[in-house]
Amino acid sequence: MDLSIVVPLYNEANSLPELNAWITRVVNEAGFSYEIIYVDDGSEDDSWSVICGLRQTDSHIHGIRFRRNYGKSPALHCGFRRVEGEVVITMDADLQDSPDEVQELYRMVQEEGYDLVSGWKKKRYDPLSKTLPTKLFNATARKFSGLKLHDFNCGLKAYRREVVKSIEVYNDMHRYIPYLAKIAGFRHIGEKAVQHQARKYGTTKFGVSRFFNGYLDLITLWFTSRFGKKPMHFFGVLGTIMFLVGFIALVIVLAVKVASILSPEGSLRPLVTNSPFFYISLTGMILGTQLFLTGFIGELIVRNSSGRNTYVIREEL
Ligand code: UDP
Ligand code: MG
């Protein structure tokens, strides 16, 4: 099979017939062998009955229905587990992404050898309240991930099948799929400017909370990908620095004390608690010890949890 199209959706009944007709027309014109997988993320509207209706007349269509709303990432993950096509394309259900891009995305993966091609909504049709924070968000994601992409969170993306089988999209990690792919060892990640349209039916499913959660997820991802298997390398370094600062301050406190004891003017003997270095040494050494202990606990958890040796084999002879 050439192509699998995965569409996560939540309350998009109005868009579905139009979207399905459009996708079907495009892929048939291009002559692909294909499947379309709709993952209904616990919709409360008629989305599921629309999908059932579409399926009745077209066996290319598959539907998966969640018992409740879990989020876009689990929906994508579920679709990814089932895809069979050599190239996998994801797309939002709200008609903001254009199915016309499918053929070119397919070509970029198959002929130009990209592992992942991310859509880039170069000209966006979203309110300013969304486009402005998105710019900031993408700049931060670029810094953390080292990937030169303009639009991490574009719903329209194309993958080599191996990529989606090697990554796990959980929580709200759909925003960072290119970064996940990079962490999994896929290097050839590109982007393509794609057409974007204003939402025609329904409303957006993500509020402002997306920006806060987005940043926290990014930090988590950066931390776990770098130190997830070796927490001591993070906590140990911080702990050592803290402890050293505390220790140096302690030496200063003691040196001053001893010097004052040895000095002839016995009345000029300040209490150690009057020195700022006393407090620096106290906090520094306590924090340093705590950080070390956190590191040890982290290592114990890693050592006792399954999957401490996580690697993906590429080929075998
Ligand atoms: N979506 C989903 N589960 C959710 C929220 C959204 O499957 O819990 C789907 C939604 O139906 C759409 C896509 O994810 O197909 C993108 O959502 P939306 O258009 O609301 O996001 P935006 O375009 O505002 O970033
Ligand atoms: Mg949308």
Side-chain angles (χ1 to χ4, degrees), residues 237-264:
V237 168
L238 277 186
T240 308
I241 294 171
M242 275 295 171
F243 199 88
L244 267 181
V245 168
F247 187 76
I248 292 167
L250 181 73
V251 170
I252 295 173
V253 170
L254 289 178
V256 170
K257 188 70 189 170
V258 169
S260 75
I261 289 172
L262 295 181
S263 75

PDB file of all heavy atoms in Angstrom, residues 237-264:
ATOM      1  N   VAL A 237      25.856  16.948  38.524  1.00  0.00           N
ATOM      2  CA  VAL A 237      26.605  18.152  38.161  1.00  0.00           C
ATOM      3  C   VAL A 237      26.107  19.346  38.983  1.00  0.00           C
ATOM      4  O   VAL A 237      26.888  20.075  39.600  1.00  0.00           O
ATOM      5  CB  VAL A 237      26.468  18.433  36.647  1.00  0.00           C
ATOM      6  CG1 VAL A 237      26.985  19.813  36.315  1.00  0.00           C
ATOM      7  CG2 VAL A 237      27.220  17.384  35.848  1.00  0.00           C
ATOM      8  N   LEU A 238      24.782  19.513  39.023  1.00  0.00           N
ATOM      9  CA  LEU A 238      24.220  20.613  39.810  1.00  0.00           C
ATOM     10  C   LEU A 238      24.600  20.482  41.279  1.00  0.00           C
ATOM     11  O   LEU A 238      24.971  21.449  41.941  1.00  0.00           O
ATOM     12  CB  LEU A 238      22.691  20.615  39.693  1.00  0.00           C
ATOM     13  CG  LEU A 238      22.081  21.302  38.475  1.00  0.00           C
ATOM     14  CD1 LEU A 238      20.567  21.325  38.621  1.00  0.00           C
ATOM     15  CD2 LEU A 238      22.615  22.708  38.348  1.00  0.00           C
ATOM     16  N   GLY A 239      24.493  19.242  41.782  1.00  0.00           N
ATOM     17  CA  GLY A 239      24.803  18.988  43.190  1.00  0.00           C
ATOM     18  C   GLY A 239      26.260  19.302  43.510  1.00  0.00           C
ATOM     19  O   GLY A 239      26.566  19.914  44.543  1.00  0.00           O
ATOM     20  N   THR A 240      27.151  18.901  42.608  1.00  0.00           N
ATOM     21  CA  THR A 240      28.574  19.175  42.832  1.00  0.00           C
ATOM     22  C   THR A 240      28.840  20.670  42.872  1.00  0.00           C
ATOM     23  O   THR A 240      29.554  21.160  43.755  1.00  0.00           O
ATOM     24  CB  THR A 240      29.412  18.535  41.699  1.00  0.00           C
ATOM     25  OG1 THR A 240      29.043  17.171  41.573  1.00  0.00           O
ATOM     26  CG2 THR A 240      30.894  18.631  42.003  1.00  0.00           C
ATOM     27  N   ILE A 241      28.241  21.406  41.925  1.00  0.00           N
ATOM     28  CA  ILE A 241      28.457  22.858  41.901  1.00  0.00           C
ATOM     29  C   ILE A 241      27.967  23.482  43.207  1.00  0.00           C
ATOM     30  O   ILE A 241      28.671  24.243  43.870  1.00  0.00           O
ATOM     31  CB  ILE A 241      27.724  23.484  40.697  1.00  0.00           C
ATOM     32  CG1 ILE A 241      28.359  22.997  39.391  1.00  0.00           C
ATOM     33  CG2 ILE A 241      27.768  25.013  40.767  1.00  0.00           C
ATOM     34  CD1 ILE A 241      27.583  23.386  38.148  1.00  0.00           C
ATOM     35  N   MET A 242      26.748  23.097  43.606  1.00  0.00           N
ATOM     36  CA  MET A 242      26.167  23.633  44.838  1.00  0.00           C
ATOM     37  C   MET A 242      27.047  23.319  46.043  1.00  0.00           C
ATOM     38  O   MET A 242      27.325  24.163  46.896  1.00  0.00           O
ATOM     39  CB  MET A 242      24.784  23.009  45.069  1.00  0.00           C
ATOM     40  CG  MET A 242      23.683  23.714  44.342  1.00  0.00           C
ATOM     41  SD  MET A 242      23.536  25.355  45.027  1.00  0.00           S
ATOM     42  CE  MET A 242      22.405  26.080  43.896  1.00  0.00           C
ATOM     43  N   PHE A 243      27.466  22.065  46.104  1.00  0.00           N
ATOM     44  CA  PHE A 243      28.240  21.634  47.257  1.00  0.00           C
ATOM     45  C   PHE A 243      29.578  22.364  47.312  1.00  0.00           C
ATOM     46  O   PHE A 243      30.026  22.794  48.376  1.00  0.00           O
ATOM     47  CB  PHE A 243      28.458  20.113  47.211  1.00  0.00           C
ATOM     48  CG  PHE A 243      28.835  19.542  48.534  1.00  0.00           C
ATOM     49  CD1 PHE A 243      27.851  19.139  49.426  1.00  0.00           C
ATOM     50  CD2 PHE A 243      30.166  19.438  48.915  1.00  0.00           C
ATOM     51  CE1 PHE A 243      28.185  18.634  50.669  1.00  0.00           C
ATOM     52  CE2 PHE A 243      30.511  18.932  50.154  1.00  0.00           C
ATOM     53  CZ  PHE A 243      29.519  18.528  51.030  1.00  0.00           C
ATOM     54  N   LEU A 244      30.192  22.540  46.132  1.00  0.00           N
ATOM     55  CA  LEU A 244      31.475  23.242  46.088  1.00  0.00           C
ATOM     56  C   LEU A 244      31.328  24.678  46.564  1.00  0.00           C
ATOM     57  O   LEU A 244      32.140  25.171  47.357  1.00  0.00           O
ATOM     58  CB  LEU A 244      32.019  23.230  44.656  1.00  0.00           C
ATOM     59  CG  LEU A 244      32.958  22.076  44.323  1.00  0.00           C
ATOM     60  CD1 LEU A 244      33.452  22.197  42.893  1.00  0.00           C
ATOM     61  CD2 LEU A 244      34.141  22.063  45.298  1.00  0.00           C
ATOM     62  N   VAL A 245      30.256  25.345  46.074  1.00  0.00           N
ATOM     63  CA  VAL A 245      30.011  26.727  46.505  1.00  0.00           C
ATOM     64  C   VAL A 245      29.884  26.767  48.025  1.00  0.00           C
ATOM     65  O   VAL A 245      30.501  27.599  48.711  1.00  0.00           O
ATOM     66  CB  VAL A 245      28.734  27.289  45.834  1.00  0.00           C
ATOM     67  CG1 VAL A 245      28.322  28.597  46.483  1.00  0.00           C
ATOM     68  CG2 VAL A 245      28.956  27.477  44.343  1.00  0.00           C
ATOM     69  N   GLY A 246      29.102  25.830  48.569  1.00  0.00           N
ATOM     70  CA  GLY A 246      28.906  25.775  50.012  1.00  0.00           C
ATOM     71  C   GLY A 246      30.205  25.501  50.747  1.00  0.00           C
ATOM     72  O   GLY A 246      30.501  26.110  51.781  1.00  0.00           O
ATOM     73  N   PHE A 247      31.011  24.611  50.165  1.00  0.00           N
ATOM     74  CA  PHE A 247      32.252  24.221  50.820  1.00  0.00           C
ATOM     75  C   PHE A 247      33.246  25.388  50.849  1.00  0.00           C
ATOM     76  O   PHE A 247      33.880  25.657  51.880  1.00  0.00           O
ATOM     77  CB  PHE A 247      32.847  23.016  50.088  1.00  0.00           C
ATOM     78  CG  PHE A 247      34.036  22.435  50.801  1.00  0.00           C
ATOM     79  CD1 PHE A 247      33.854  21.656  51.933  1.00  0.00           C
ATOM     80  CD2 PHE A 247      35.321  22.666  50.343  1.00  0.00           C
ATOM     81  CE1 PHE A 247      34.940  21.125  52.597  1.00  0.00           C
ATOM     82  CE2 PHE A 247      36.421  22.134  50.998  1.00  0.00           C
ATOM     83  CZ  PHE A 247      36.226  21.362  52.135  1.00  0.00           C
ATOM     84  N   ILE A 248      33.332  26.094  49.709  1.00  0.00           N
ATOM     85  CA  ILE A 248      34.245  27.249  49.662  1.00  0.00           C
ATOM     86  C   ILE A 248      33.809  28.294  50.693  1.00  0.00           C
ATOM     87  O   ILE A 248      34.640  28.854  51.434  1.00  0.00           O
ATOM     88  CB  ILE A 248      34.280  27.857  48.245  1.00  0.00           C
ATOM     89  CG1 ILE A 248      34.960  26.873  47.285  1.00  0.00           C
ATOM     90  CG2 ILE A 248      35.030  29.194  48.225  1.00  0.00           C
ATOM     91  CD1 ILE A 248      34.794  27.211  45.824  1.00  0.00           C
ATOM     92  N   ALA A 249      32.503  28.526  50.771  1.00  0.00           N
ATOM     93  CA  ALA A 249      31.997  29.495  51.751  1.00  0.00           C
ATOM     94  C   ALA A 249      32.338  29.045  53.167  1.00  0.00           C
ATOM     95  O   ALA A 249      32.710  29.867  54.020  1.00  0.00           O
ATOM     96  CB  ALA A 249      30.483  29.653  51.585  1.00  0.00           C
ATOM     97  N   LEU A 250      32.272  27.742  53.402  1.00  0.00           N
ATOM     98  CA  LEU A 250      32.596  27.208  54.723  1.00  0.00           C
ATOM     99  C   LEU A 250      34.064  27.455  55.065  1.00  0.00           C
ATOM    100  O   LEU A 250      34.400  27.865  56.184  1.00  0.00           O
ATOM    101  CB  LEU A 250      32.298  25.702  54.761  1.00  0.00           C
ATOM    102  CG  LEU A 250      32.573  25.002  56.095  1.00  0.00           C
ATOM    103  CD1 LEU A 250      31.517  25.400  57.114  1.00  0.00           C
ATOM    104  CD2 LEU A 250      32.604  23.493  55.924  1.00  0.00           C
ATOM    105  N   VAL A 251      34.922  27.224  54.068  1.00  0.00           N
ATOM    106  CA  VAL A 251      36.357  27.462  54.285  1.00  0.00           C
ATOM    107  C   VAL A 251      36.584  28.926  54.649  1.00  0.00           C
ATOM    108  O   VAL A 251      37.349  29.243  55.580  1.00  0.00           O
ATOM    109  CB  VAL A 251      37.159  27.067  53.021  1.00  0.00           C
ATOM    110  CG1 VAL A 251      38.612  27.543  53.144  1.00  0.00           C
ATOM    111  CG2 VAL A 251      37.111  25.554  52.818  1.00  0.00           C
ATOM    112  N   ILE A 252      35.899  29.825  53.937  1.00  0.00           N
ATOM    113  CA  ILE A 252      36.049  31.259  54.236  1.00  0.00           C
ATOM    114  C   ILE A 252      35.607  31.553  55.680  1.00  0.00           C
ATOM    115  O   ILE A 252      36.309  32.220  56.441  1.00  0.00           O
ATOM    116  CB  ILE A 252      35.242  32.106  53.240  1.00  0.00           C
ATOM    117  CG1 ILE A 252      35.811  31.941  51.819  1.00  0.00           C
ATOM    118  CG2 ILE A 252      35.258  33.589  53.646  1.00  0.00           C
ATOM    119  CD1 ILE A 252      35.000  32.596  50.738  1.00  0.00           C
ATOM    120  N   VAL A 253      34.461  31.021  56.048  1.00  0.00           N
ATOM    121  CA  VAL A 253      33.939  31.253  57.402  1.00  0.00           C
ATOM    122  C   VAL A 253      34.938  30.781  58.454  1.00  0.00           C
ATOM    123  O   VAL A 253      35.266  31.505  59.410  1.00  0.00           O
ATOM    124  CB  VAL A 253      32.581  30.524  57.597  1.00  0.00           C
ATOM    125  CG1 VAL A 253      32.157  30.559  59.064  1.00  0.00           C
ATOM    126  CG2 VAL A 253      31.511  31.142  56.724  1.00  0.00           C
ATOM    127  N   LEU A 254      35.447  29.557  58.236  1.00  0.00           N
ATOM    128  CA  LEU A 254      36.392  29.004  59.210  1.00  0.00           C
ATOM    129  C   LEU A 254      37.686  29.806  59.253  1.00  0.00           C
ATOM    130  O   LEU A 254      38.217  30.086  60.333  1.00  0.00           O
ATOM    131  CB  LEU A 254      36.690  27.532  58.880  1.00  0.00           C
ATOM    132  CG  LEU A 254      35.540  26.553  59.140  1.00  0.00           C
ATOM    133  CD1 LEU A 254      35.938  25.139  58.742  1.00  0.00           C
ATOM    134  CD2 LEU A 254      35.140  26.593  60.616  1.00  0.00           C
ATOM    135  N   ALA A 255      38.165  30.196  58.054  1.00  0.00           N
ATOM    136  CA  ALA A 255      39.421  30.938  57.997  1.00  0.00           C
ATOM    137  C   ALA A 255      39.295  32.257  58.747  1.00  0.00           C
ATOM    138  O   ALA A 255      40.171  32.634  59.538  1.00  0.00           O
ATOM    139  CB  ALA A 255      39.813  31.177  56.536  1.00  0.00           C
ATOM    140  N   VAL A 256      38.177  32.938  58.522  1.00  0.00           N
ATOM    141  CA  VAL A 256      37.965  34.218  59.211  1.00  0.00           C
ATOM    142  C   VAL A 256      37.898  34.006  60.707  1.00  0.00           C
ATOM    143  O   VAL A 256      38.489  34.748  61.508  1.00  0.00           O
ATOM    144  CB  VAL A 256      36.672  34.897  58.689  1.00  0.00           C
ATOM    145  CG1 VAL A 256      36.315  36.092  59.553  1.00  0.00           C
ATOM    146  CG2 VAL A 256      36.835  35.313  57.236  1.00  0.00           C
ATOM    147  N   LYS A 257      37.224  32.934  61.101  1.00  0.00           N
ATOM    148  CA  LYS A 257      37.066  32.653  62.532  1.00  0.00           C
ATOM    149  C   LYS A 257      38.426  32.395  63.187  1.00  0.00           C
ATOM    150  O   LYS A 257      38.769  32.984  64.227  1.00  0.00           O
ATOM    151  CB  LYS A 257      36.144  31.429  62.700  1.00  0.00           C
ATOM    152  CG  LYS A 257      35.761  31.151  64.137  1.00  0.00           C
ATOM    153  CD  LYS A 257      34.823  32.226  64.645  1.00  0.00           C
ATOM    154  CE  LYS A 257      34.609  32.090  66.149  1.00  0.00           C
ATOM    155  NZ  LYS A 257      33.892  33.251  66.687  1.00  0.00           N
ATOM    156  N   VAL A 258      39.199  31.504  62.524  1.00  0.00           N
ATOM    157  CA  VAL A 258      40.509  31.155  63.081  1.00  0.00           C
ATOM    158  C   VAL A 258      41.403  32.389  63.152  1.00  0.00           C
ATOM    159  O   VAL A 258      42.066  32.652  64.169  1.00  0.00           O
ATOM    160  CB  VAL A 258      41.179  30.042  62.230  1.00  0.00           C
ATOM    161  CG1 VAL A 258      42.640  29.851  62.632  1.00  0.00           C
ATOM    162  CG2 VAL A 258      40.414  28.737  62.401  1.00  0.00           C
ATOM    163  N   ALA A 259      41.371  33.191  62.055  1.00  0.00           N
ATOM    164  CA  ALA A 259      42.198  34.403  62.025  1.00  0.00           C
ATOM    165  C   ALA A 259      41.819  35.340  63.168  1.00  0.00           C
ATOM    166  O   ALA A 259      42.681  35.916  63.835  1.00  0.00           O
ATOM    167  CB  ALA A 259      42.045  35.112  60.682  1.00  0.00           C
ATOM    168  N   SER A 260      40.536  35.448  63.424  1.00  0.00           N
ATOM    169  CA  SER A 260      40.107  36.371  64.476  1.00  0.00           C
ATOM    170  C   SER A 260      40.474  35.853  65.869  1.00  0.00           C
ATOM    171  O   SER A 260      40.780  36.613  66.762  1.00  0.00           O
ATOM    172  CB  SER A 260      38.605  36.642  64.377  1.00  0.00           C
ATOM    173  OG  SER A 260      37.890  35.529  64.850  1.00  0.00           O
ATOM    174  N   ILE A 261      40.453  34.516  65.998  1.00  0.00           N
ATOM    175  CA  ILE A 261      40.848  33.949  67.292  1.00  0.00           C
ATOM    176  C   ILE A 261      42.336  34.212  67.558  1.00  0.00           C
ATOM    177  O   ILE A 261      42.749  34.556  68.669  1.00  0.00           O
ATOM    178  CB  ILE A 261      40.558  32.430  67.343  1.00  0.00           C
ATOM    179  CG1 ILE A 261      39.051  32.190  67.412  1.00  0.00           C
ATOM    180  CG2 ILE A 261      41.252  31.767  68.541  1.00  0.00           C
ATOM    181  CD1 ILE A 261      38.638  30.745  67.271  1.00  0.00           C
ATOM    182  N   LEU A 262      43.146  34.042  66.456  1.00  0.00           N
ATOM    183  CA  LEU A 262      44.593  34.201  66.606  1.00  0.00           C
ATOM    184  C   LEU A 262      45.019  35.658  66.731  1.00  0.00           C
ATOM    185  O   LEU A 262      46.120  35.956  67.169  1.00  0.00           O
ATOM    186  CB  LEU A 262      45.311  33.556  65.411  1.00  0.00           C
ATOM    187  CG  LEU A 262      45.146  32.037  65.300  1.00  0.00           C
ATOM    188  CD1 LEU A 262      45.900  31.494  64.102  1.00  0.00           C
ATOM    189  CD2 LEU A 262      45.590  31.324  66.569  1.00  0.00           C
ATOM    190  N   SER A 263      44.135  36.580  66.312  1.00  0.00           N
ATOM    191  CA  SER A 263      44.534  37.993  66.348  1.00  0.00           C
ATOM    192  C   SER A 263      44.597  38.479  67.792  1.00  0.00           C
ATOM    193  O   SER A 263      43.845  37.995  68.656  1.00  0.00           O
ATOM    194  CB  SER A 263      43.539  38.827  65.550  1.00  0.00           C
ATOM    195  OG  SER A 263      42.346  38.961  66.288  1.00  0.00           O
ATOM    196  N   PRO A 264      45.510  39.442  68.052  1.00  0.00           N
ATOM    197  CA  PRO A 264      45.696  39.900  69.429  1.00  0.00           C
ATOM    198  C   PRO A 264      44.471  40.625  70.002  1.00  0.00           C
ATOM    199  O   PRO A 264      44.185  40.495  71.191  1.00  0.00           O
ATOM    200  CB  PRO A 264      46.893  40.853  69.336  1.00  0.00           C
ATOM    201  CG  PRO A 264      47.122  41.103  67.878  1.00  0.00           C
ATOM    202  CD  PRO A 264      46.428  40.066  67.098  1.00  0.00           C
TER     203      PRO A 264
END
